[in-house]
Amino acid sequence: MNSSNEKLFQAILTGDKDQAVQETQVALENGVSADSILNESLIRGMEEVGQLYENGEYFVPEMLISARAMKAALDVLRPLLVESDVKPMGKVVVGTVKGDLHDIGKNLVAMMVEGAGFEIIDLGSDVSPEEFVEAIKESGADLVGLSALLTTTTPMMEKTIQAIQEAGLRDRVNIIIGGAPITPEFAEKIGADGYAPDASRAASLVKKMVSS
Ligand code: B1M
């Protein structure tokens, strides 16, 4: 890895947003391609952050500040990635289901999945089954991520999956679910394709599903 990419990688690990933006600009000025910056520094940096989280060395706040630094660097790169026609690894629609306003965990999932190289269509919180269906149709998403934090809103996950099925879109998308009250057994019971306990594992699961 060249030294600009290495410095940016370190800025992502330490969650230093200003330095991440600055190092992205320096790397571009040094002629490093947007593609290389994305893969060598941002995606690799977020993979490392995910690993540190899974090993218990990082916690949610560290993961959040790293994800924020990654997003800031990505804002600098985005127009160049569009120009150079670098394709995302896939499109992912995410949202917290209807009736549920908790969005902190969902935002973290969205940031980690974006950090893994995917385009995110974030519908926010309190999202109805119809809104999910519409977003899948409009975006041509490969995968849908549903989040719920309340035991009372978990049945809405099943309703959302049913609505996707009834709209004839079920074969087109993988569906993963997560949130504090969710278990792998519940995911299987309601017909989701997968479950992740945290944002880092959600990003790994999305990568695995879309590439298989
Ligand atoms: Co609420 N709330 N809340 N709340 N709130 C909980 C969830 C609760 C456990 C608190 C408690 O009673 N101990 C409880 C739920 C009990 C239950 O149903 N079992 C609760 C309640 C009852 C309520 C209200 C009903 C309170 C009231 O008004 N009487 C109300 C409901 C409003 C509504 O949604 N309709 C309410 C409101 C709120 C606030 C608005 C004040 C605020 C939300 C602000 C926001 O999100 N913008 C809030 C908060 C902050 C919490 C707690 C304190 C923290 C949640 C959080 O952000 N955690 C929470 C108690 C707690 O957890 N200690 C609580 C941090 C976040 C990073 O973790 O969201 O779990 P988490 O996400 C993780 C994983 O779950 C996973 O990855 C994330 C990161 O690694 N994950 C996924 C999440 N989504 C995923 C999707 C995936 C994969 C993984 O794939 C797609």
Side-chain angles (χ1 to χ4, degrees):
M1 195 173 13
N2 64 51
S3 76
S4 308
N5 272 354
E6 177 60 36
K7 284 188 188 152
L8 178 53
F9 173 77
Q10 290 302 332
I12 299 299
L13 282 197
T14 53
D16 189 332
K17 186 172 139 210
D18 293 341
Q19 206 198 340
V21 168
Q22 197 191 322
E23 294 301 343
T24 305
Q25 281 154 348
V26 170
L28 289 170
E29 278 158 23
N30 289 345
V32 184
S33 71
D35 190 19
S36 159
I37 298 173
L38 176 72
N39 289 302
E40 297 297 318
S41 304
L42 303 190
I43 294 181
R44 217 173 61 82
M46 290 312 289
E47 275 171 3
E48 181 69 18
V49 168
Q51 203 55 56
L52 289 165
Y53 175 79
E54 287 175 31
N55 294 345
E57 290 173 59
Y58 270 22
F59 297 94
V60 167
E62 285 90 349
M63 195 155 58
L64 264 177
I65 60 163
S66 286
R68 266 187 217 140
M70 180 276 298
K71 270 182 98 72
L74 199 56
D75 286 344
V76 178
L77 281 189
R78 198 168 279 120
L80 296 161
L81 291 169
V82 173
E83 235 171 63
S84 56
D85 208 23
V86 174
K87 297 264 181 292
M89 286 179 66
K91 288 186 189 174
V92 181
V93 166
V94 293
T96 306
V97 296
K98 191 173 163 65
D100 200 323
L101 300 175
H102 297 86
D103 68 356
I104 297 167
K106 181 270 298 166
N107 291 345
L108 197 46
V109 169
M111 288 195 262
M112 290 301 283
V113 174
E114 185 174 30
F118 290 83
E119 181 182 332
I120 298 292
I121 298 109
D122 188 346
L123 305 180
S125 57
D126 193 18
V127 183
S128 68
E130 297 73 30
E131 287 170 295
F132 276 107
V133 166
E134 211 40 55
I136 298 166
K137 280 189 194 157
E138 259 175 38
S139 65
D142 307 285
L143 193 139
V144 180
L146 308 177
S147 179
L149 260 286
L150 298 170
T151 40
T152 50
T153 56
T154 55
M156 193 49 77
M157 290 179 144
E158 187 169 15
K159 291 210 172 98
T160 305
I161 295 176
Q162 277 165 2
I164 294 170
Q165 173 101 42
E166 281 158 20
L169 299 168
R170 187 67 186 91
D171 295 341
R172 249 175 56 184
V173 287
N174 279 306
I175 302 176
I176 69 162
I177 67 171
I182 308 303
T183 62
E185 293 74 27
F186 178 74
E188 203 184 329
K189 181 172 156 269
I190 67 167
D193 299 303
Y195 154 82
D198 58 52
S200 167
R201 288 175 180 92
S204 308
L205 182 62
V206 169
K207 268 197 279 186
K208 205 170 113 203
M209 281 183 161
V210 171
S211 61
S212 66

